[in-house]
Amino acid sequence: MTPLTLKRIVKVWLPLAASWLLMGTELPMLSAFVARLVHPEINLAAYGGIVFPIALIVEAPVIMLLAASTALSKDWASYQKLRTYMLLSGVLLTSLHLLIALTPAYYFVVNGMLGAPPEIVEPARLGLIIMTPWTWTIAYRRLNQGVMIRFGHSNIIGIGTGVRLGMDLLVLTIGYLLKLPGIVVATSAVAAGVTIEAIYIGIRVQPLLRTELKPASVVEPALSYRAFAAFYIPLVMTSLLTLLIQPMGSAALGRMPLALESLAVWPVVSGFIFMLRSTGVAFNEVVVALVDEPLSPKALRRFTTILSTVTTGFILLIAVTPLSRIWLQDISALSPSLTVLARNGLW
């Protein structure tokens, strides 16, 4: 059997990396628009310090559906089990999202746990309500993107991300022209973007389900819910622990000096870092897709070394040179004082 090569890894990784890189531009784009609207510190802090961290934690049980679907959607029966999990978790997690946003539980989470500055509490609650479609649409999209990767159609994922960003830009532009509150503009753009992307992926996956997944050979033994849980729970815990940095960071910053200013630059800095490391995030799905190929560990480790060296070097280049000021002040529209704070955060 032919061993796995770097060329083969790059072929699988490139469209996924392009998709994640495009996705990584979303938060910096949102921040740049919000920073140009009224009360930028309050609205940036409301989104980055409350709305985004809560939304991420709520969606944690479904974010790894992409990896699970890539690995397990080998036949129609397996896909149906994954789809059942997606539907059930989507309903339960969306209900949890609404429970937090619409009930007194919101104040327990935001005031008691996150310790948010008072001026961002109510704007963030409105933003969280607008973000209600977030979890279910992401669960649906990631389930079906896994099928696309499994059957060699990962290029569609990049197109879907482009559709999402196009909708983001449209809503952001309309909100900017109408001079709407920044938190309304940002969350409306995200909600519209993830919804239109889910619709696009749902349309594009239908032919693949009919012509490639349904005729696929039946897997023996059949995937059981116990086997799915054994595979998926470690992935959920990994994503949950990774995503906890957002609310933990918000809770810490909200209790420190310059809380409002720090929370305002938090989404700008974290969004910029995520954009730069998004090509590495995409590698997760590459490993899932290729780990069973001959001699894969050696080739995958070699690619990991190259990718991590290049991305880390690029982040250092930005931090060391005036490029950080250009990005933070000229492009992201932070004030001079916030730019200094963000540059320290970037280091």
Side-chain angles (χ1 to χ4, degrees):
M1 298 178 68
T2 305
L4 182 63
T5 63
L6 287 180
K7 183 177 180 180
R8 165 82 169 135
I9 295 174
V10 171
K11 184 179 179 180
V12 177
W13 168 80
L14 203 55
L16 294 173
S19 175
W20 274 100
L21 186 59
L22 283 172
M23 194 185 307
T25 64
E26 183 176 60
L27 186 52
M29 185 168 63
L30 295 175
S31 300
F33 272 86
V34 173
R36 290 172 167 84
L37 293 167
V38 295
H39 306 303
E41 289 186 7
I42 291 175
N43 288 290
L44 282 171
Y47 184 77
I50 297 178
V51 177
F52 192 54
I54 291 177
L56 282 179
I57 289 301
V58 172
E59 72 150 339
V62 301
I63 197 169
M64 284 297 187
L65 267 175
L66 177 57
S69 182
T70 301
L72 302 177
S73 292
K74 299 177 181 180
D75 64 358
W76 182 245
S78 300
Y79 173 80
Q80 289 289 84
K81 284 186 171 62
L82 296 178
R83 186 173 182 272
T84 298
Y85 171 80
M86 180 274 294
L87 292 172
L88 181 61
S89 59
V91 169
L92 293 176
L93 294 173
T94 300
S95 299
L96 175 61
H97 184 112
L98 288 171
L99 178 68
I100 295 173
L102 298 177
T103 72
Y106 175 78
Y107 298 106
F108 171 76
V109 172
V110 172
N111 294 328
M113 298 177 69
L114 296 182
E119 54 265 59
I120 72 173
V121 171
E122 292 306 323
R125 186 173 195 178
L126 176 59
L128 195 61
I129 293 170
I130 295 172
M131 285 276 282
T132 299
W134 166 270
T135 299
W136 194 92
T137 54
I138 287 179
Y140 178 80
R141 166 174 62 86
R142 293 179 77 80
L143 169 71
N144 291 300
Q145 285 176 328
V147 176
M148 293 173 175
I149 297 172
R150 180 81 198 178
F151 290 93
H153 300 280
S154 54
N155 59 302
I156 300 175
I157 298 174
I159 299 172
T161 305
V163 171
R164 171 179 172 174
L165 290 180
M167 178 59 76
D168 283 349
L169 186 58
L170 175 62
V171 175
L172 289 170
T173 301
I174 293 172
Y176 176 78
L177 294 175
L178 295 177
K179 302 301 179 185
L180 297 175
I183 189 66
V184 173
V185 176
T187 52
S188 297
V190 172
V194 295
T195 300
I196 195 67
E197 184 184 18
I199 293 172
Y200 174 80
I201 293 297
I203 293 171
R204 292 298 305 272
V205 80
Q206 296 307 314
L208 304 183
L209 298 180
R210 289 194 305 268
T211 62
E212 298 192 46
L213 183 58
K214 284 186 177 180
S217 301
V218 175
V219 174
E220 294 292 347
L223 178 67
S224 65
Y225 285 112
R226 182 186 294 272
F228 169 68
F231 177 88
Y232 194 65
I233 288 176
L235 293 180
V236 171
M237 295 307 299
T238 300
S239 65
L240 180 62
L241 291 172
T242 302
L243 295 176
L244 272 174
I245 187 60
Q246 288 290 337
M248 286 173 63
S250 296
L253 294 176
R255 292 169 168 83
M256 292 182 182
L258 298 177
L260 181 62
E261 294 83 354
S262 296
L263 288 171
V265 303
W266 177 239
V268 178
V269 174
S270 62
F272 181 59
I273 292 295
F274 179 79
M275 182 177 66
L276 294 180
R277 70 183 181 89
S278 59
T279 54
V281 178
F283 192 55
N284 185 72
E285 277 70 51
V286 176
V287 174
V288 172
L290 300 180
V291 71
D292 290 332
E293 295 202 8
L295 301 178
S296 62
K298 181 178 180 180
L300 291 170
R301 287 193 188 100
R302 183 181 175 193
F303 186 82
T304 301
T305 301
I306 296 171
L307 184 60
S308 58
T309 301
V310 171
T311 52
T312 303
F314 190 70
I315 291 175
L316 284 173
L317 175 66
I318 297 294
V320 167
T321 67
L323 290 173
S324 60
R325 182 192 59 79
I326 293 171
W327 178 267
L328 295 170
Q329 186 168 321
D330 299 339
I331 297 176
S332 299
L334 293 180
S335 65
S337 60
L338 290 183
T339 297
V340 173
L341 195 59
R343 290 185 76 180
N344 291 336
L346 183 60
W347 272 107

